Amino acid sequence: ALTMRGVGTRATYGLGGLLMAAGFALIATTPGLAQYLAGAAIAGVGYTLCATVPGVAVINHWLPQRRALAIGAYMTIGGLGGVAGPLMVTGVVAITGTWRMHWWTMCISILVLTVLAALTLKTAGPKTAGSSATGNAKSTSKVFVTPTDWKLAEALRTPQYYVIVAALTMTLFGGVTMNTWAVTHMGNLGIAAAVAATALSTHALINAFSRAFGGALATWIDPKWLLASALVAEIMGMLSLAVADNLVAIGLFVIGEGYGFGMCFFATTMLLVNYYGPKEAPKTMGTMHFITTIAMIGPVLGGYVADNVGSFAGVFQGYAVLMCVCLVAVVLMRPPTKATMASA
């Protein structure tokens, strides 16, 4: 958000693309772990400058009337990268015989996309200068949209902001831990690695398309209820994964966690835009994603618990309990208003 404000969205994409390319090049030429980690870190910074925060900002400018559908489609396309990525790696390695060529392919691909972004991207949308950033998006009896834009400092003084952030944080705790340990956990329960891998691939597909599903519904159903449905699905997914020693439990895990993760990612983004306005969305979203990085300790925490208890089941069940708390908070949540904030 700060980079976009300082140099503009087009330059932010350009800088991000160059950093990603530099990171991929370092990984492709790495002689050891230190350069590999440096390349991964640089690519991570570049990814941040090209990902959801600037992407949603561009959509907010250009498609205020179809914001929900466009954001859902955008997130679905991005989510499909999680499906295509492993296939791309194995394909390039099979053709070239070396994993380094995969990273060179990524380097060249992101450079091409960076040039396209520089040539085509326009920050300003079809609105007149000085018009409200809420654009033409309006509240309905079913979907709340703030009539005025909030500043980040104002948003941070509302409890609704932290309810939304907590929901995504707990979803990330479950999702990141699941991606790290699910195959190992199911293997310990007697499930073949091929079956576990197929389950994760199917999970990635459901994860991606649930975002488009959310985009199609968010005009008619308030994203608050989409977030509630995501948490219900996450709870089902975590509890099913804990006992995933049969195909029924695996299927419930794949559907529940796949839908829940993708829908939560979409719904929290839409709630921030609807509750606090698109003008400050890069800041409200950027701050949310910064706070949620605490979820990256999930795999370490899960491994520690499993080492001491002997199973990952308790880890996933614990996440389900915490998600129940988030679910209650989301259901009780009401749209924030500046009047109630001032009185509070």
Side-chain angles (χ1 to χ4, degrees):
L2 294 174
T3 305
M4 290 168 62
R5 172 159 292 188
V7 300
T9 305
R10 189 198 304 245
T12 300
Y13 268 103
L15 178 61
L18 291 176
L19 286 173
M20 290 182 72
F24 294 150
L26 285 173
I27 296 174
T29 59
T30 183
L33 183 60
Q35 183 172 319
Y36 180 93
L37 294 176
I42 293 171
V45 174
Y47 168 79
T48 302
L49 299 176
C50 294
T52 308
V53 172
V56 171
V58 171
I59 292 171
N60 281 332
H61 277 289
W62 273 97
L63 296 165
Q65 289 182 301
R66 300 182 180 180
R67 179 184 298 147
L69 185 61
I71 291 176
Y74 164 72
M75 289 185 173
T76 295
I77 294 168
L80 289 174
V83 180
L87 298 175
M88 181 176 176
V89 174
T90 54
V92 172
V93 173
I95 293 171
T96 64
T98 172
W99 56 266
R100 295 181 188 272
M101 281 306 299
H102 162 71
W103 295 108
W104 282 123
T105 302
M106 296 293 289
C107 179
I108 295 171
S109 298
I110 194 62
L111 285 175
V112 171
L113 291 172
T114 300
V115 171
L116 289 174
L119 292 175
T120 62
L121 184 63
K122 295 180 181 179
T123 302
K127 298 180 297 178
T128 59
S131 63
S132 170
T134 55
N136 296 316
K138 301 294 182 182
S139 290
T140 68
S141 60
K142 296 181 179 180
V143 179
F144 173 85
V145 178
T146 179
T148 59
D149 286 298
W150 295 55
K151 294 185 181 298
L152 174 63
E154 294 173 331
L156 292 177
R157 293 200 295 269
T158 63
Q160 291 89 340
Y161 186 85
Y162 297 99
V163 171
I164 295 168
V165 171
L168 182 58
T169 300
M170 283 313 308
T171 297
L172 285 171
F173 258 108
V176 175
T177 305
M178 178 277 299
N179 275 303
T180 304
W181 292 116
V183 173
T184 301
H185 170 62
M186 284 189 275
N188 292 339
L189 295 177
I191 301 299
V195 175
T198 301
L200 291 187
S201 295
T202 307
H203 164 277
L205 279 171
I206 297 174
N207 174 1
F209 284 104
S210 67
R211 307 176 193 202
F213 184 58
L217 293 178
T219 304
W220 314 103
I221 301 175
D222 196 288
K224 163 188 167 176
W225 299 113
L226 296 179
L227 179 56
S229 74
L231 289 170
V232 170
E234 278 283 345
I235 293 166
M236 180 186 77
M238 289 290 105
L239 293 177
S240 298
L241 178 58
V243 295
D245 60 355
N246 59 83
L247 292 180
V248 173
I250 292 174
L252 291 175
F253 148 64
V254 167
I255 295 172
E257 217 286 326
Y259 169 85
F261 189 94
M263 184 61 76
C264 181
F265 193 67
F266 168 79
T268 51
T269 298
M270 286 305 305
L271 278 172
L272 291 185
V273 175
N274 286 358
Y275 278 7
Y276 304 109
K279 184 177 180 180
E280 290 282 280
K283 289 185 178 180
T284 56
M285 289 174 55
T287 303
M288 175 178 70
H289 291 307
F290 175 74
I291 295 172
T292 60
T293 55
I294 191 175
M296 298 308 107
I297 69 172
V300 179
L301 179 64
Y304 176 80
V305 172
D307 283 343
N308 286 274
V309 177
S311 170
F312 291 97
V315 176
F316 299 122
Q317 291 165 344
Y319 288 155
V321 171
L322 293 174
M323 287 172 183
C324 286
V325 177
C326 292
L327 174 61
V328 173
V330 169
V331 170
L332 296 177
M333 181 174 66
R334 297 293 181 265
T337 63
K338 293 189 178 183
T340 56
M341 184 190 70
S343 63

